[in-house]
Amino acid sequence: MDIATQMIMFAAVVENGGFSAAARDLGLTPSAVSRQIGQLEDRLGTRLLNRSTRRISLTEVGRAFYVRCAEVSQSVQEAESLVLNMVDHPQGTLKVAATVAFAKAQLLPLLPAFLAVNPDLKISLDATDRVIDLVEEQVDVAIRFSEQIDDSSVVSRKLATNRRVYVAAPSYVAANGMPRTPDDVAGHNCLRISTVEAWNTWTFDDGTGPGPIRLPIKGNFEANSADAIYYAVLAGVGIARLSTYLVNDALSQGRLVRVLPDYADETSDILAIYSNKRNLSPNVRAFIDYFAEKFGPVPPWEKEQAA
């Protein structure tokens, strides 16, 4: 047994007035406690306790040593209490990473309510579309899409289905016409995402055919963020495939129109990812539970569109 544990045990013997009472306090047998105190004395090369059949007393060295042992025991108790209080409820700083578009459109509007129910918690948000190393960058939880996950060591939890639709500005349709079939899309200017090449193969599925149609797309504009693509399509640059969480408001306001409205892509999920499931911190658990409840099973942006 290490000396720190033996010091805590020695303090318990002194404070309880004997081996039997200390053993009850520590959840050990009296013989086990007595044996450890004997080994401590052997380690130090001096006697700490005077023993008789009825009582114990401290030697001069033991009295001085007890003061230090009591300090160690108190420090350990305070450290344990600190940790238990910290894991009792969310507090401190939670570092969150989220894609730019999702952070702006869906995460930030809900943060005030989340922080209101977790008043001891602070959020540090990294809004970025680049690849995130959770461990190296000390990110507690990240919101990402299925296509962005290539690390088998991370743990993920689905927050919502990421339904994508095909959209264009009315000005683009007026100038270039409306595609009538997926094959017609090849003749149009399609906006590309530069960060994940898989996103530049569009999947068309109306639920009636033998299976989805997958078409690589091309065009004269690309960007590293869905947020930039969103503003480009609003400006009439071309046709884009974008998530409903991002475009539904613009669709309902007439600033965008659905292209091939019978088709949608539901092959992606919005995920919360974190690095280790064991002993999940209250901060991460509170964040994921809150947003899983807010976004599922039917996300609010889909409910608003249906209404």
Side-chain angles (χ1 to χ4, degrees), residues 71-306:
E71 292 173 353
V72 170
S73 180
Q74 181 64 29
S75 294
V76 169
Q77 291 177 33
E78 290 174 356
E80 183 179 21
S81 178
L82 174 66
V83 172
L84 290 175
N85 287 335
M86 289 184 68
V87 302
D88 180 60
H89 70 286
Q91 59 180 288
T93 300
L94 179 71
K95 188 171 181 181
V96 178
T99 59
V100 175
F102 191 84
K104 290 169 64 176
Q106 302 300 331
L107 187 61
L108 289 173
L110 292 176
L111 276 184
F114 172 72
L115 291 171
V117 297
N118 295 283
D120 296 326
L121 192 62
K122 298 178 181 179
I123 298 293
S124 175
L125 175 64
D126 185 359
T128 179
D129 293 303
R130 63 179 174 79
V131 176
I132 291 289
D133 186 317
L134 297 178
V135 175
E136 182 176 336
E137 300 181 48
Q138 297 183 319
V139 173
D140 297 304
V141 59
I143 296 179
R144 286 293 184 261
F145 304 108
S146 303
E147 300 93 327
Q148 294 176 293
I149 310 303
D150 58 5
D151 184 353
S152 61
S153 68
V154 301
V155 182
S156 65
R157 179 173 171 185
K158 180 179 176 179
L159 299 179
T161 296
N162 182 33
R163 194 166 74 94
R164 297 183 175 115
V165 293
Y166 310 93
V167 295
S171 60
Y172 176 86
V173 174
N176 298 277
M178 176 70 78
R180 299 302 174 186
T181 69
D183 289 337
D184 291 343
V185 172
H188 283 264
N189 195 44
C190 298
L191 310 187
R192 293 168 49 88
I193 295 282
S194 60
T195 50
V196 180
E197 184 56 35
W199 285 341
N200 298 316
T201 296
W202 291 359
T203 300
F204 298 88
D205 191 354
D206 62 0
T208 63
I213 300 169
R214 293 182 175 86
L215 296 175
I217 54 93
K218 59 183 180 179
N220 65 5
F221 179 84
E222 68 177 20
N224 64 351
S225 168
D227 193 54
I229 296 295
Y230 172 66
Y231 285 101
V233 75
L234 282 174
V237 176
I239 296 174
R241 184 190 67 169
L242 289 170
S243 301
T244 54
Y245 76 76
L246 187 58
V247 300
N248 271 353
D249 283 348
L251 287 170
S252 64
Q253 296 162 5
R255 293 186 295 151
L256 292 177
V257 295
R258 286 280 299 272
V259 173
L260 302 174
D262 292 334
Y263 293 88
D265 182 351
E266 298 185 5
T267 59
S268 175
D269 291 325
I270 302 169
L271 306 172
I273 64 170
Y274 49 100
S275 60
N276 197 333
K277 191 173 183 179
R278 185 171 180 266
N279 296 327
L280 187 63
S281 77
N283 293 353
V284 174
R285 187 180 302 280
F287 181 89
I288 294 176
D289 286 348
Y290 183 88
F291 286 98
E293 189 275 329
K294 291 296 182 182
F295 294 149
V298 179
W301 54 89
E302 296 288 353
K303 293 177 183 177
E304 292 166 5
Q305 186 71 3

